[in-house]
Amino acid sequence: MNGQMALLNGVKGSLTDITEASSGSVIPVTCKGRAGELTITANTGALFNIPEGKQAARTSLLDCCSNGAVSFEIKQEDLIGGTIVSGTTIQIWYCKHATQSPDRPIRRLLKSAKLVCVTEGAAQHAVRLLREAAAPRKKDTQRRLLIIVNPCSGRGKARHTFTKHVRPILEAAGFHLDVRETQGPGHATDIVKEAELQIFDAVVAVGGDGTIFEILQGYFHGEDWAQRVRAPFCLVPSGSGNALAANCGLWTPETAAIAICKGRTRALDIFSVVQPPSRRYFAFLSIYYGMMANLDHGTDHLRWMGSMRFTLGAIHEVLRHRRYAATVAYMPAAKSTQDSAKMESPTQEHVKHPSPVPSTQHSSSNAEAHSTQLPPEDNVLHSSSNAEARRTQQATEGNGHSSGATPGSCSSAGPSLQLLQALGPEDQLQLSHIAEMHPGWQLLSPRDTSFFAAVNLPMLDFHSSTGPQADFNSGCLDIIYVPNITNRKQGLEWLDQLGKGRHMDGNLTHLKKACAMIIEPYSEGTSLVVDGEAIPYKRVYLEVHPSLCSVIVA
Ligand SMILES: Nc1ncnc2c1ncn2[C@@H]1O[C@H](COP(=O)(O)OP(=O)(O)OP(=O)(O)O)[C@@H](O)[C@H]1O
């Protein structure tokens, strides 16, 4: 009959009744064995069935059939691909749902089964069929990933995680892997800057959110940044917080690797973080000031503890019982929707397939796309956790506002900053009168807060959610703040509620949705932290770019 037939006949003596199913782009072939059946109907979302013997998945098909075995089935969504074990023996890789509870992302476990073919050619053909059946969008010869492993993230196990838990899955799916290991802070940015991103199916970080942050800075390099952002990115959780992985439902490294194979993406808002005259970062997660900044960045030396360092840091901060002063101005999200309805995001067309939302997320829709283009320039700086370095930097730059600098025309790559542009030069901007000078802007009150954060995604890590109403592409940041925690007991109770995602209940915690913000920090003993990385301690401007990038989701 055809090529598939040759393969199926090539499986030693096991297949007797072979029929072709409907025609389609991939492998519409059904075949039946004496004791079970083998079905590949990738384009209809059907099954890959192989007989199961006494030794279940580890038994060859030949053995299964001669044992008179029952069949078990692998759903197409669970099929990962295949590899040649040796000569004529192939291994089918698939996954199983390990946990499934309504308030947790799905965890997946890797499984495999061996199958013996008569000839080596048949074995190679079988592997190709398996890979195409698992991910019918692309020929296996064209799949390519840029993998960036940060050996220092989290507890320093990223290298092991990649080799042991991620690489075998991606290879089974037929990806060509360009693997790079970071040599130090900022290296991930350089790797991505130099990469031809268009040839990759995705950029994968094996690390933490800081690695993703560095990768993101590398995306906005060169005139073609609008094309470069089309490559989705993904976090294989190997850091301390792993917020991106938590938000994307990538509960374990294996789950993340399987999600990469399946290639489901979701549009993600990115926000610019601007410090005139020329500094501009691109962020995906959050900006913290005060308590959150301290518990995150202030616990860097406790990296060996994993995510426990954040819990300890939070308790320490609550016991300090401090309030932090800042003038915060923001433009409510609804206004931006009106302003930006006509404009388009560069990736709007590209991100056509919204993926399943992890069940921990709630949706909100407040704003729409409003990004356009500016000529690019590399001006990304890498953060330093060192307070001394920060002070030196401030002394060099001055903590005041650069004369004539306009936050909205910060000369950098990336989409234009329309909302910030409208504010005009920084030295003419009186923050305390912004509402009168610039209709649509508001001041946050009070100036002193016990807790302050603005988040783009709901989950802080795998265990807690800072902004449960935040969403991937809502077009806004959720400003979460607590004006005043009156005593330590109330602080600890509030922390407990935060851990359970119930801190928004009651009236202690406030929420504003903003498409642009300005933060002028005043307090000593804290910092500004963007996506877990400290930035210079001075006034900062933020603007959201709806759906600018896309991320791999479970
Ligand atoms: N080879 C290296 N040596 C030292 N530091 C490195 C190296 N490569 C990357 N880094 C730095 O490691 C820091 C921590 O990485 P990352 O943020 O990914 O892990 P994490 O902080 O443990 O996780 P999370 O951000 O999710 O809490 C980054 O700021 C990055 O600049």
Side-chain angles (χ1 to χ4, degrees):
M1 300 227 303
N2 58 18
Q4 283 85 27
M5 296 292 295
L7 155 74
L8 299 167
N9 283 325
V11 178
K12 261 188 202 165
S14 58
L15 304 165
T16 52
D17 176 19
I18 302 171
T19 54
E20 222 176 309
S22 63
S23 63
S25 57
V26 193
I27 317 150
V29 173
T30 301
C31 63
K32 289 185 179 173
R34 279 195 300 268
E37 67 174 9
L38 175 65
T39 311
I40 310 171
T41 48
N43 54 337
T44 58
L47 310 174
F48 186 99
N49 292 341
I50 63 171
E52 187 176 37
K54 282 177 185 154
Q55 290 167 44
R58 278 176 290 281
T59 315
S60 78
L61 181 58
L62 178 61
D63 294 340
C64 295
C65 290
S66 56
N67 286 342
V70 292
S71 72
F72 76 103
E73 59 186 41
I74 304 168
K75 289 181 186 156
Q76 194 211 346
E77 65 175 77
D78 293 338
L79 183 61
I80 292 167
T83 45
I84 306 248
V85 180
S86 65
T88 56
T89 305
I90 66 165
Q91 194 150 15
I92 300 168
W93 296 86
Y94 62 103
C95 59
K96 285 271 183 218
H97 289 194
T99 53
Q100 205 168 8
S101 83
D103 60 344
R104 289 283 185 210
I106 294 162
R107 191 191 292 245
R108 288 171 183 269
L109 280 182
L110 188 62
K111 300 266 178 194
S112 70
K114 280 185 185 158
L115 189 118
V116 180
C117 305
V118 166
T119 65
E120 290 189 4
Q124 285 156 11
H125 198 144
V127 165
R128 201 157 52 245
L129 291 183
L130 284 163
R131 290 175 179 176
E132 289 179 4
R137 291 171 315 286
K138 234 176 174 185
K139 294 250 175 263
D140 70 323
T141 50
Q142 297 166 343
R143 290 176 200 151
R144 201 178 179 111
L145 297 170
L146 175 58
I147 314 255
I148 298 177
V149 181
N150 176 352
C152 292
S153 58
R155 296 180 186 182
K157 293 186 178 159
R159 195 182 290 143
H160 173 81
T161 298
F162 174 67
T163 312
K164 185 101 176 140
H165 304 289
V166 177
R167 180 164 215 147
I169 297 176
L170 299 180
E171 284 179 345
F175 281 106
H176 177 86
L177 308 179
D178 286 10
V179 184
R180 304 289 304 274
E181 201 168 276
T182 57
Q183 304 301 318
H187 189 203
T189 302
D190 294 337
I191 293 171
V192 176
K193 259 194 226 165
E194 286 154 18
E196 199 188 331
L197 291 190
Q198 290 86 330
I199 66 169
F200 294 105
D201 291 279
V203 178
V204 176
V206 186
D209 296 311
T211 310
I212 287 285
F213 178 74
E214 289 190 1
I215 285 172
L216 198 53
Q217 311 317 308
Y219 267 75
F220 293 90
H221 175 77
E223 306 247 338
D224 58 345
W225 65 265
Q227 273 74 49
R228 290 164 62 78
V229 296
R230 288 168 182 256
F233 56 86
C234 174
L235 179 63
V236 172
S238 310
S240 311
N242 305 305
L244 183 67
N247 282 290
C248 294
L250 307 181
W251 190 243
T252 59
E254 286 89 347
T255 311
I258 290 160
I260 294 164
C261 299
K262 294 300 168 190
R264 277 191 289 265
T265 59
R266 183 149 191 216
L268 177 68
D269 299 342
I270 296 297
F271 58 101
S272 281
V273 179
V274 178
Q275 291 183 312
S278 60
R279 181 170 291 118
R280 183 175 183 185
Y281 308 95
F282 296 90
F284 66 96
L285 185 61
S286 58
I287 182 163
Y288 297 148
Y289 172 64
M291 173 179 165
M292 283 295 276
N294 292 2
L295 78 83
D296 183 334
H297 215 253
T299 59
D300 232 22
H301 59 294
L302 302 176
R303 186 168 289 281
W304 55 272
M305 283 187 178
S307 61
M308 177 59 78
R309 77 179 224 230
F310 301 130
T311 309
L312 286 184
I315 293 170
H316 180 251
E317 277 302 306
V318 164
L319 295 178
R320 280 175 83 193
H321 190 49
R322 275 199 64 184
R323 292 175 79 201
Y324 297 90
T327 299
V328 178
Y330 69 101
M331 178 175 273
K335 176 76 173 76
S336 97
T337 308
Q338 294 160 24
D339 287 345
S340 60
K342 296 180 247 87
M343 292 166 250
E344 259 190 17
S345 154
T347 57
Q348 228 169 24
E349 247 186 65
H350 156 64
V351 186
K352 284 183 190 144
H353 311 293
S355 304
V357 185
S359 54
T360 43
Q361 292 162 0
H362 309 265
S363 67
S364 72
S365 56
N366 284 292
E368 290 176 5
H370 64 271
S371 51
T372 52
Q373 302 178 20
L374 266 189
E377 177 190 300
D378 169 29
N379 75 338
V380 173
L381 293 186
H382 302 295
S383 61
S384 159
S385 57
N386 186 313
E388 192 60 42
R390 200 172 68 216
R391 277 195 292 277
T392 312
Q393 202 162 15
Q394 281 171 21
T396 316
E397 296 170 356
N399 203 15
H401 313 126
S402 334
S403 174
T406 308
S409 55
C410 178
S411 57
S412 171
S416 66
L417 299 159
Q418 300 200 338
L419 301 175
L420 299 180
Q421 186 99 48
L423 294 173
E426 188 174 41
D427 56 2
Q428 289 170 29
L429 182 67
Q430 290 176 275
L431 214 48
S432 52
H433 293 106
I434 194 167
E436 299 108 75
M437 291 168 66
H438 297 283
W441 284 83
Q442 296 180 15
L443 276 180
L444 202 71
S445 176
R447 207 184 72 137
D448 293 10
T449 52
S450 297
F451 177 92
F452 178 90
V455 297
N456 191 40
L457 286 167
M459 301 297 288
L460 172 66
D461 55 25
F462 282 112
H463 312 291
S464 47
S465 166
T466 324
Q469 291 180 34
D471 201 5
F472 281 65
N473 51 354
S474 59
C476 62
L477 291 170
D478 281 21
I479 307 174
I480 315 286
Y481 63 104
V482 179
N484 191 16
I485 290 175
T486 51
N487 55 50
R488 291 182 175 84
K489 180 169 175 290
Q490 189 184 43
L492 289 172
E493 283 166 2
W494 183 84
L495 205 57
D496 183 47
Q497 295 294 91
L498 176 71
K500 293 172 181 159
R502 289 205 227 113
H503 59 296
M504 303 304 290
D505 302 350
N507 48 18
L508 204 56
T509 314
H510 296 239
L511 166 68
K512 303 279 184 206
K513 287 185 177 281
C515 55
M517 285 174 71
I518 306 168
I519 304 171
E520 173 99 54
Y522 302 120
S523 291
E524 297 274 311
T526 185
S527 51
L528 286 167
V529 173
V530 174
D531 291 2
E533 307 293 306
I535 61 166
Y537 192 67
K538 56 187 263 188
R539 184 189 285 185
V540 62
Y541 297 78
L542 297 95
E543 181 167 337
V544 179
H545 309 295
S547 301
L548 187 57
C549 289
S550 60
V551 283
I552 303 271
V553 294

